[in-house]
Amino acid sequence: MKVIVINCGSSSLKFKLFDMNESNELLAEGLVEEIGKALSKFTYRASRVASGEKVVRQIQAPDHTAALGAVAKTLVDPELGLFRGAIQVDAVGHRVVHGGDKFSRSEVITRQVKDVITDCCTIAPLHNPPNLAGINACEQIFAGVPQVAVFDTAFHQTMPEQVFLYGIPYELYERHHMRKYGFHGTSHEFVFRRAVELLGRPAEELKIVTCHLGNGCSITAVKHGFSFDTSMGFTPLEGVVMGTRAGDMDPAAVLWLMEKENLEPSAMSDLLNKKSGLKGISGVGNDLREVMQAADQGNARARLAIEIFVYRIVKYVGAYAAAMGGLDAVVFTGGIGENATPIRARILEPLAFLGLSLDPERNGSAAKEKEINTPDSRVKALVVPTNEELSIALQTKRAVAATQQPR
Ligand code: ADP
């Protein structure tokens, strides 16, 4: 079974094509950037074609359908393509950021599913519209092929009411579905499941904290196999400090700043989402590697940005250990979680009081997937590379298979 995974942003379209055989082989991948501009950049690579070399081209892609058209054309290109004649894809998996409180698992896309994704545009105005554009484009270009929506929010739908409700009048929750949703669910679920395999114990016995640390960062408490709490909220702005996002702060401070700086809601949203976090504090940038380099060279604000970044994560892990009434493992993933050895050490060292003892040598080893605690550590610490696209492809395969079961 061949599954193509589509991830659309406002001006980008990413795809990965998998053969869902035993090794879930990645056949091709690509990215169209700057959709809507006069010329768009198309990057493409197919593992078994042209020695897997990356090909970069300028294309005309005024919208997502045109971008996907260019992808489809390349997949049947005599020189670069994987298919002769027509594309043979058995299912399309879409990353959909917000499924609101309607979806707790992946869904085969029907008219009704699309209507709910459309309804969720009001609470995810930046993310859901391009996701829908991707779905519409695929309905045209892969007509008749089953399409599946895999939601970033679905894994967190198991959070109990006392966790997901904010301390505001209950009617606002009823009227606007204003509550904590959480994001990065596909990644948290993927690494949690792998961690359970590595720990060799049943998920029902385990209390795990998963740390997805990339440009966006979120921490999730997975209790007995289900998401119990997560740091992101109604939007992906809540929680820890991120590359460009502020994370938790006093809502009254936001209102005060809007008044003092004469900021409209959209400008304030820009400030909190795009100009804050590591970038805003350090003044260096959002890329942790650059901030770490500046800190090493003595840049005081870069050092402070890293201290704040680490402190907030430690605070969440501790809070979740208390909320779950225990902790068996901390799992790191994402660009930072997988690669930033010194940051992992700084997060884990203060957790020694919980019974977590870090092994510096294992932490610094070259292995991608690894246990980084000492052998006698009661609480385990793991690094598990995430693979959101593969997770989407696996969930797509499962959702399609479920519709084909005899009733
Ligand atoms: P996204 O959330 O956009 O998918 P990634 O998961 O790729 O992003 O994470 C990007 C972040 O990972 C950047 O801040 C980058 O600096 C950081 N990162 C990647 N490799 C390293 C490394 N070796 N050391 C420190 N930070 C790293």
Side-chain angles (χ1 to χ4, degrees), residues 214-217 236-237 240-247 268-282 284-288 291 309 336:
N215 270 315
C217 300
L237 178 56
V240 294
V241 161
M242 311 176 210
T244 60
R245 287 175 238 169
M268 190 67 212
S269 167
D270 237 38
L271 188 150
L272 294 171
N273 279 294
K274 297 185 183 157
K275 298 179 184 162
S276 298
L278 290 175
K279 182 179 173 184
I281 302 166
S282 71
V284 173
N286 66 297
D287 194 296
L288 180 67
V291 182
F309 179 79
I336 295 171

Side-chain angles (χ1 to χ4, degrees), residues 212-216 278 286-290 292 334-336 339-341 388:
H212 178 107
L213 308 177
N215 270 315
L278 290 175
N286 66 297
D287 194 296
L288 180 67
R289 273 169 299 201
E290 287 171 22
M292 285 168 76
I336 295 171
N339 301 300
T341 310
E388 287 178 272

Side-chain angles (χ1 to χ4, degrees), residues 44 69 119 137-138 169 206 269 323 332 391:
Y44 170 88
D119 287 347
C138 286
L206 292 166
S269 167
F332 290 96
S391 177

Side-chain angles (χ1 to χ4, degrees), residues 45 171 184 204 213 273 332:
R45 188 201 309 264
E171 301 78 55
H184 288 146
E204 304 76 56
L213 308 177
N273 279 294
F332 290 96

